[in-house]
Amino acid sequence: MAAAAHLQERGELRIRVMEPDDLPFVVAEQRRHFPDGFFARLGPRFLTAYNRTYLTAPGARSYTAESGGQPVGFLIGGTDPAAHRRHVLRRHGRGLLFRALGSLCLRPRLMLHFVRTRLARYCRKLIPNRAALSAPTAGHVGETAVLDYVAVVEHARSRGAGAALIAQFVRDAAEAGCARVTLVTAAEGGAGPYYERLGWQRRGEISTPEGRRLLAYDFALNTGRPQE
């Protein structure tokens, strides 16, 4: 990714690398747009700490859309999710664990929900082991980039901010050697039609541990670029 904070401009719209000062805006919008997400339900302190890992981790990408000097949108994703996961476990795992446990202790219902739906899966995937810790921090770039979150404030929609953020991520994924980008959106009331207009292909349907239906979309990087 470009070393400079500024990445692209289009009229009054500016896409730049996310900075620590953007995190309060990002967390507030993430909780507003994705309130059912498990990390969002852990509270703003945990979410801030977790999102901060995207600012420095290898294989992670985070951008802010700015208009008139004010943030109006953001995107968080990974061109190498495995490298980002290793970074989180090495550098931030203990702190995030303590924050998560503190949040769960204050939310008994969420704690019970976590035990029932996620504990076993998180133990398998996220608890570090010797093999994971000894792996190179930024090894071979994964073939699939993952767009985790993208959101634009209501008053700035239909001005191209979302498409510009997505296009920047796609460009970075292509430069990183990825073969495709993937994302999920809600099956009911989600952004599926929007992504289809940008050239994404629906690939299937999945369910969250809570039973929410999500649609999976792919964008193949060897067939062109999404519309802007």
Side-chain angles (χ1 to χ4, degrees), residues 61 79-80 140-145 169-181 221:
R61 297 292 185 270
T79 56
D80 188 345
H140 178 69
V141 176
E143 291 188 354
T144 302
F169 182 65
V170 167
R171 280 192 289 272
D172 281 353
E175 290 178 5
C178 298
R180 63 175 183 157
V181 184
L221 297 180

Side-chain angles (χ1 to χ4, degrees), residues 2-25:
H6 163 63
L7 292 174
Q8 61 170 301
E9 288 188 15
R10 228 176 49 178
E12 295 183 355
L13 182 66
R14 179 175 181 241
I15 305 299
R16 58 175 174 78
V17 174
M18 189 180 293
E19 300 173 353
D21 288 346
D22 297 319
L23 289 173
F25 164 79

Side-chain angles (χ1 to χ4, degrees), residues 13-220:
L13 182 66
R14 179 175 181 241
I15 305 299
R16 58 175 174 78
V17 174
M18 189 180 293
E19 300 173 353
D21 288 346
D22 297 319
L23 289 173
F25 164 79
V26 171
V27 168
E29 291 303 313
Q30 194 170 356
R31 297 183 74 202
R32 181 175 296 114
H33 288 86
F34 310 103
D36 296 327
F38 181 72
F39 282 4
R41 294 169 68 187
L42 288 174
R45 290 186 177 181
F46 176 86
L47 199 55
T48 298
Y50 182 72
N51 286 342
R52 192 182 298 275
T53 68
Y54 282 88
L55 306 186
T56 57
R61 297 292 185 270
S62 55
Y63 323 114
T64 299
E66 193 175 80
S67 180
Q70 298 298 318
V72 296
F74 74 92
L75 184 148
I76 290 173
T79 56
D80 188 345
H84 175 238
R85 188 180 303 115
R86 289 193 296 268
H87 174 85
V88 170
L89 292 174
R90 279 198 190 102
R91 303 290 181 87
H92 309 281
R94 183 174 298 180
L96 288 172
L97 176 62
F98 288 151
R99 287 183 182 275
L101 289 175
S103 296
L104 289 172
C105 288
L106 295 174
R107 300 166 173 85
R109 291 185 179 180
L110 187 59
M111 170 74 86
L112 181 60
H113 174 75
F114 170 76
V115 171
R116 287 176 174 175
T117 64
R118 285 178 166 82
L119 180 60
R121 181 161 58 94
Y122 278 23
C123 285
R124 289 194 301 269
K125 292 186 176 182
L126 298 182
I127 292 180
N129 53 52
R130 290 184 180 179
L133 291 175
S134 61
T137 301
H140 178 69
V141 176
E143 291 188 354
T144 302
V146 178
L147 195 167
D148 292 308
Y149 298 100
V150 59
V152 176
V153 297
E154 187 172 354
H155 67 81
R157 292 177 184 173
S158 300
R159 300 181 186 177
L165 286 163
I166 294 168
Q168 183 63 56
F169 182 65
V170 167
R171 280 192 289 272
D172 281 353
E175 290 178 5
C178 298
R180 63 175 183 157
V181 184
T182 187
L183 61 83
V184 295
T185 186
E188 298 180 6
Y194 173 76
Y195 291 114
E196 290 172 9
R197 289 196 298 272
L198 294 180
W200 293 65
Q201 300 294 317
R202 178 175 168 180
R203 296 303 185 192
E205 183 176 312
I206 62 176
S207 296
T208 69
E210 295 81 11
R212 293 176 57 231
R213 294 170 50 240
L214 302 175
L215 300 179
Y217 282 86
D218 282 355
F219 188 86

